[in-house]
Amino acid sequence: MSSDSLPDNDHRPSREEAEKAVRTLLRWAGDNPDREGLHDTPSRVVRAYEEFFEGYETDPRTLLERTFSEVEGYDEIVLLRDIRFESHCEHHLAPIIGRAHVAYLPRNRVVGISKLARVVDAYARRLQIQERLTAQIANTINDVLEPQGVAVIIESSHECMTTRGVHRPGVSMVTSSMLGVFRTNSDTRRELMAMLNRPSASEY
């Protein structure tokens, strides 16, 4: 199964099996899952997982299918900055908290800006590594919209590094994927970087 494929729900464990697995982890951690404070924890964890990983239930490509052509010839960069997202590291199941900046240069059509944020969420709400998350967002927008170029930059904090292991709080990871003119045209790339350095909408 490719990293973009949706899982086969027929082979998923049942809710009861998932809750039993949480009880096992609680016992392994050294606590008693039957004590009052932990009695409902297995069901709460399973419900939380349904929210954390709801991206597996979404096909990001379908989010971009409705586009608009009445743009009065607009052919400049479209940039959605500071898209906050929450994901989970596939190596330790620890949170990844960050912001994505998504830009594209339309060819003939544009897409509703909320759809760009939804594409970010659809991939973020899966078990991830940041490099793959960045590429998935960029490749999907590029494949569906067929613009002149796509740029995705992600900045995030990984709790698998800040709360365990090397314990380095305050460290952020930055990844980028530049496709089309954002890769081949240095002027277009510089224009994007200038737009990213301008004040946020809340400062106007």
Coordinates of all heavy atoms in Angstrom, one line a residue, residues 76-126:
E76 N -1.0 35.7 -10.6 CA 0.1 35.9 -9.6 C 0.0 34.8 -8.5 O -0.9 34.0 -8.5 CB 0.0 37.3 -9.0 CG 0.1 38.4 -10.0 CD 1.5 38.5 -10.6 OE1 2.5 38.0 -10.0 OE2 1.6 39.1 -11.8
I77 N 1.0 34.8 -7.6 CA 1.1 33.8 -6.6 C -0.1 33.9 -5.7 O -0.6 35.0 -5.3 CB 2.4 34.0 -5.8 CG1 3.6 33.8 -6.6 CG2 2.4 33.1 -4.5 CD1 4.9 34.1 -5.9
V78 N -0.7 32.7 -5.3 CA -1.7 32.6 -4.3 C -1.0 31.9 -3.1 O -0.5 30.8 -3.3 CB -2.9 31.7 -4.8 CG1 -3.9 31.5 -3.6 CG2 -3.6 32.4 -6.0
L79 N -1.0 32.6 -2.0 CA -0.3 32.1 -0.8 C -1.2 32.1 0.4 O -1.8 33.1 0.7 CB 0.9 32.9 -0.5 CG 1.6 32.7 0.9 CD1 2.2 31.3 0.9 CD2 2.7 33.8 1.1
L80 N -1.3 30.9 1.1 CA -2.0 30.8 2.3 C -0.9 30.5 3.4 O -0.3 29.4 3.4 CB -3.0 29.7 2.3 CG -4.1 29.6 3.4 CD1 -4.9 30.9 3.5 CD2 -5.0 28.4 3.3
R81 N -0.7 31.5 4.3 CA 0.3 31.4 5.3 C -0.2 30.9 6.6 O -1.4 31.0 6.9 CB 1.0 32.7 5.5 CG 1.6 33.3 4.3 CD 2.5 34.5 4.7 NE 1.7 35.5 5.4 CZ 2.2 36.7 5.8 NH1 3.5 37.0 5.5 NH2 1.4 37.6 6.4
D82 N 0.7 30.3 7.4 CA 0.4 30.0 8.8 C -0.8 29.1 9.0 O -1.6 29.4 9.9 CB 0.2 31.3 9.6 CG 1.5 32.2 9.6 OD1 2.6 31.6 9.8 OD2 1.4 33.4 9.5
I83 N -0.8 28.1 8.3 CA -1.9 27.1 8.5 C -1.5 26.2 9.6 O -0.6 25.3 9.5 CB -2.1 26.2 7.2 CG1 -2.3 27.1 6.0 CG2 -3.3 25.2 7.4 CD1 -2.3 26.3 4.7
R84 N -2.1 26.4 10.8 CA -1.7 25.6 12.0 C -2.1 24.1 11.8 O -3.3 23.9 11.3 CB -2.2 26.1 13.2 CG -1.7 25.4 14.5 CD -2.3 26.0 15.8 NE -1.7 25.4 17.0 CZ -2.0 24.2 17.5 NH1 -3.0 23.5 16.9 NH2 -1.4 23.8 18.6
F85 N -1.3 23.2 12.1 CA -1.7 21.8 12.0 C -1.2 21.0 13.2 O -0.2 21.4 13.9 CB -1.2 21.1 10.7 CG 0.3 20.9 10.6 CD1 0.9 19.8 11.1 CD2 1.1 21.9 10.1 CE1 2.2 19.6 11.1 CE2 2.5 21.7 10.0 CZ 3.0 20.6 10.5
E86 N -1.8 19.8 13.4 CA -1.3 18.9 14.4 C -1.2 17.5 13.8 O -2.2 17.1 13.1 CB -2.4 18.8 15.6 CG -2.6 20.2 16.3 CD -3.8 20.2 17.1 OE1 -4.5 19.2 17.2 OE2 -4.1 21.3 17.7
S87 N -0.1 16.9 14.0 CA 0.1 15.6 13.4 C 0.8 14.7 14.5 O 0.9 15.1 15.6 CB 1.0 15.7 12.2 OG 1.1 14.4 11.5
H88 N 1.2 13.5 14.1 CA 1.8 12.6 15.0 C 3.0 11.9 14.3 O 2.8 11.4 13.2 CB 0.8 11.6 15.6 CG -0.1 12.1 16.6 ND1 -1.2 12.9 16.3 CD2 0.0 12.1 18.0 CE1 -1.8 13.3 17.4 NE2 -1.1 12.8 18.5
C89 N 4.1 11.8 15.0 CA 5.3 11.1 14.5 C 5.0 9.6 14.4 O 4.6 9.0 15.4 CB 6.4 11.4 15.4 SG 7.8 10.3 15.3
E90 N 5.3 9.0 13.3 CA 5.0 7.6 13.1 C 6.0 6.7 13.8 O 5.8 5.5 14.0 CB 5.1 7.3 11.6 CG 6.4 7.4 10.9 CD 6.3 7.0 9.4 OE1 5.3 7.2 8.8 OE2 7.3 6.4 8.9
H91 N 7.1 7.3 14.3 CA 8.1 6.5 15.0 C 7.8 6.4 16.5 O 8.2 5.4 17.1 CB 9.5 7.2 14.8 CG 9.9 7.2 13.4 ND1 10.6 8.3 12.9 CD2 9.8 6.4 12.4 CE1 10.8 8.1 11.6 NE2 10.3 6.9 11.3
H92 N 7.2 7.4 17.1 CA 7.0 7.4 18.6 C 5.5 7.7 18.9 O 5.2 7.8 20.1 CB 7.9 8.4 19.3 CG 9.4 8.1 19.1 ND1 10.1 8.8 18.1 CD2 10.2 7.2 19.6 CE1 11.3 8.3 18.1 NE2 11.4 7.4 19.0
L93 N 4.7 8.0 17.9 CA 3.3 8.5 18.1 C 3.3 9.8 19.0 O 2.3 10.0 19.6 CB 2.5 7.4 18.8 CG 2.4 6.0 18.1 CD1 1.4 5.1 18.8 CD2 2.0 6.2 16.7
A94 N 4.3 10.6 18.9 CA 4.4 11.8 19.6 C 3.9 12.9 18.7 O 4.0 12.9 17.5 CB 5.8 12.1 20.1
P95 N 3.2 14.0 19.3 CA 2.7 15.1 18.5 C 3.7 15.8 17.7 O 4.9 16.0 18.2 CB 2.0 16.0 19.6 CG 1.7 15.1 20.7 CD 2.9 14.1 20.8
I96 N 3.3 16.3 16.6 CA 4.1 17.3 15.8 C 3.1 18.5 15.6 O 2.0 18.3 15.1 CB 4.4 16.7 14.4 CG1 5.2 15.4 14.4 CG2 5.1 17.8 13.5 CD1 5.4 14.7 13.1
I97 N 3.6 19.6 16.1 CA 2.8 20.8 16.1 C 3.5 21.8 15.2 O 4.6 22.2 15.4 CB 2.5 21.4 17.5 CG1 2.0 20.3 18.5 CG2 1.5 22.6 17.4 CD1 0.7 19.7 18.1
G98 N 2.8 22.4 14.2 CA 3.5 23.3 13.3 C 2.5 24.2 12.5 O 1.3 24.2 12.7
R99 N 3.2 24.9 11.6 CA 2.5 25.7 10.6 C 3.0 25.4 9.2 O 4.2 25.2 9.0 CB 2.7 27.2 10.9 CG 2.1 27.6 12.3 CD 2.3 29.1 12.6 NE 1.7 29.4 13.9 CZ 0.5 29.7 14.2 NH1 -0.4 29.6 13.2 NH2 0.1 29.9 15.4
A100 N 2.0 25.4 8.3 CA 2.4 25.2 6.9 C 2.1 26.5 6.1 O 1.1 27.2 6.4 CB 1.6 24.0 6.3
H101 N 2.9 26.7 5.1 CA 2.7 27.8 4.2 C 2.6 27.2 2.8 O 3.5 26.5 2.4 CB 3.9 28.8 4.2 CG 4.3 29.2 5.6 ND1 3.6 30.0 6.4 CD2 5.5 28.9 6.3 CE1 4.2 30.1 7.6 NE2 5.4 29.5 7.5
V102 N 1.4 27.4 2.2 CA 1.1 26.7 0.9 C 0.9 27.8 -0.2 O 0.1 28.7 0.0 CB -0.1 25.8 1.0 CG1 -0.4 25.2 -0.3 CG2 0.1 24.8 2.1
A103 N 1.6 27.7 -1.3 CA 1.5 28.7 -2.4 C 1.4 27.9 -3.7 O 1.9 26.8 -3.9 CB 2.7 29.6 -2.4
Y104 N 0.7 28.5 -4.6 CA 0.7 28.0 -6.0 C 0.5 29.2 -7.0 O 0.0 30.2 -6.6 CB -0.4 27.0 -6.2 CG -1.8 27.4 -6.2 CD1 -2.5 27.6 -7.4 CD2 -2.5 27.7 -5.0 CE1 -3.8 28.0 -7.4 CE2 -3.8 28.1 -5.0 CZ -4.5 28.3 -6.2 OH -5.8 28.7 -6.2
L105 N 1.0 29.0 -8.2 CA 0.9 30.0 -9.2 C -0.1 29.4 -10.2 O 0.2 28.5 -11.0 CB 2.2 30.3 -9.9 CG 2.3 31.5 -10.9 CD1 2.0 32.8 -10.1 CD2 3.7 31.6 -11.5
P106 N -1.4 30.0 -10.3 CA -2.4 29.4 -11.1 C -2.1 29.4 -12.6 O -1.3 30.3 -13.0 CB -3.6 30.3 -10.8 CG -3.3 31.1 -9.6 CD -1.8 31.2 -9.6
R107 N -2.6 28.5 -13.3 CA -2.5 28.5 -14.7 C -3.8 29.1 -15.3 O -3.7 30.1 -16.0 CB -2.3 27.1 -15.3 CG -1.9 27.0 -16.7 CD -1.5 25.6 -17.2 NE -0.5 25.0 -16.4 CZ 0.8 25.1 -16.6 NH1 1.2 25.9 -17.6 NH2 1.7 24.5 -15.9
N108 N -4.9 28.5 -15.0 CA -6.2 29.1 -15.5 C -7.2 29.2 -14.4 O -8.2 29.9 -14.5 CB -6.7 28.3 -16.7 CG -5.8 28.3 -17.9 OD1 -5.4 29.4 -18.4 ND2 -5.5 27.2 -18.4
R109 N -7.1 28.3 -13.4 CA -8.1 28.2 -12.4 C -7.6 28.3 -11.0 O -6.4 28.0 -10.8 CB -8.8 26.8 -12.6 CG -9.4 26.6 -14.0 CD -10.0 25.2 -14.1 NE -11.3 25.2 -13.4 CZ -12.4 25.7 -13.8 NH1 -12.5 26.2 -15.0 NH2 -13.5 25.6 -13.1
V110 N -8.4 28.7 -10.1 CA -8.0 28.7 -8.7 C -9.0 27.9 -7.8 O -10.1 27.5 -8.3 CB -8.0 30.2 -8.1 CG1 -7.1 31.1 -8.9 CG2 -9.4 30.8 -8.2
V111 N -8.6 27.6 -6.6 CA -9.4 26.8 -5.7 C -9.7 27.6 -4.5 O -8.9 28.5 -4.1 CB -8.6 25.5 -5.4 CG1 -7.4 25.7 -4.5 CG2 -9.6 24.4 -4.7
G112 N -10.8 27.3 -3.8 CA -11.1 28.0 -2.6 C -10.0 27.8 -1.6 O -9.5 26.7 -1.4
I113 N -9.6 28.9 -0.9 CA -8.5 28.8 0.0 C -8.7 27.8 1.2 O -7.7 27.2 1.7 CB -8.0 30.2 0.5 CG1 -9.2 30.8 1.3 CG2 -7.6 31.0 -0.6 CD1 -8.8 32.2 1.9
S114 N -9.9 27.6 1.6 CA -10.1 26.7 2.7 C -9.7 25.3 2.3 O -9.4 24.5 3.1 CB -11.6 26.7 3.2 OG -12.4 26.2 2.2
K115 N -9.8 25.0 1.0 CA -9.5 23.7 0.5 C -8.0 23.4 0.7 O -7.6 22.2 0.9 CB -9.8 23.5 -0.9 CG -11.3 23.8 -1.2 CD -12.3 22.9 -0.4 CE -13.7 23.2 -0.8 NZ -14.6 22.5 0.1
L116 N -7.1 24.4 0.6 CA -5.7 24.2 0.8 C -5.4 23.8 2.3 O -4.6 22.9 2.5 CB -4.9 25.5 0.5 CG -5.1 26.0 -1.0 CD1 -4.3 27.3 -1.1 CD2 -4.5 25.0 -1.9
A117 N -6.1 24.5 3.2 CA -6.0 24.1 4.6 C -6.5 22.7 4.9 O -5.9 22.0 5.7 CB -6.7 25.1 5.5
R118 N -7.6 22.3 4.2 CA -8.1 21.0 4.4 C -7.2 19.9 3.8 O -7.1 18.8 4.4 CB -9.5 20.9 3.7 CG -10.6 21.7 4.4 CD -11.9 21.5 3.7 NE -12.9 22.3 4.3 CZ -13.7 22.0 5.4 NH1 -13.4 20.8 5.9 NH2 -14.6 22.8 5.9
V119 N -6.5 20.2 2.8 CA -5.5 19.3 2.2 C -4.4 19.1 3.3 O -3.9 17.9 3.5 CB -4.9 19.7 0.9 CG1 -3.7 18.9 0.5 CG2 -6.0 19.6 -0.2
V120 N -3.9 20.2 3.9 CA -2.9 20.1 4.9 C -3.4 19.2 6.0 O -2.7 18.2 6.5 CB -2.5 21.4 5.5 CG1 -1.6 21.3 6.7 CG2 -1.8 22.3 4.4
D121 N -4.6 19.4 6.5 CA -5.2 18.6 7.6 C -5.3 17.1 7.2 O -5.1 16.2 8.0 CB -6.5 19.1 8.0 CG -6.4 20.3 9.0 OD1 -5.3 20.5 9.6 OD2 -7.4 21.0 9.2
A122 N -5.8 16.9 6.0 CA -6.0 15.5 5.6 C -4.7 14.7 5.6 O -4.8 13.5 6.0 CB -6.6 15.5 4.1
Y123 N -3.6 15.3 5.3 CA -2.4 14.5 5.4 C -1.7 14.6 6.8 O -1.1 13.6 7.2 CB -1.3 15.0 4.4 CG -1.6 14.6 3.0 CD1 -1.9 15.4 1.9 CD2 -1.6 13.2 2.7 CE1 -2.1 15.0 0.6 CE2 -1.9 12.7 1.4 CZ -2.1 13.6 0.4 OH -2.3 13.2 -0.9
A124 N -1.9 15.7 7.5 CA -1.4 15.9 8.8 C -2.0 14.9 9.8 O -1.3 14.4 10.7 CB -1.5 17.3 9.3
R125 N -3.3 14.6 9.6 CA -4.0 13.8 10.6 C -3.8 12.3 10.2 O -4.8 11.5 10.1 CB -5.5 14.2 10.7 CG -5.7 15.5 11.3 CD -7.1 15.9 11.5 NE -7.3 17.2 12.2 CZ -7.3 17.4 13.5 NH1 -7.2 16.3 14.3 NH2 -7.4 18.6 14.0
R126 N -2.6 12.0 10.0 CA -2.2 10.6 9.8 C -0.8 10.4 10.5 O -0.2 11.4 10.9 CB -2.0 10.3 8.3 CG -3.2 10.6 7.4 CD -2.9 10.3 6.0 NE -4.1 10.6 5.1 CZ -4.3 10.2 3.9 NH1 -3.3 9.5 3.3 NH2 -5.4 10.5 3.2

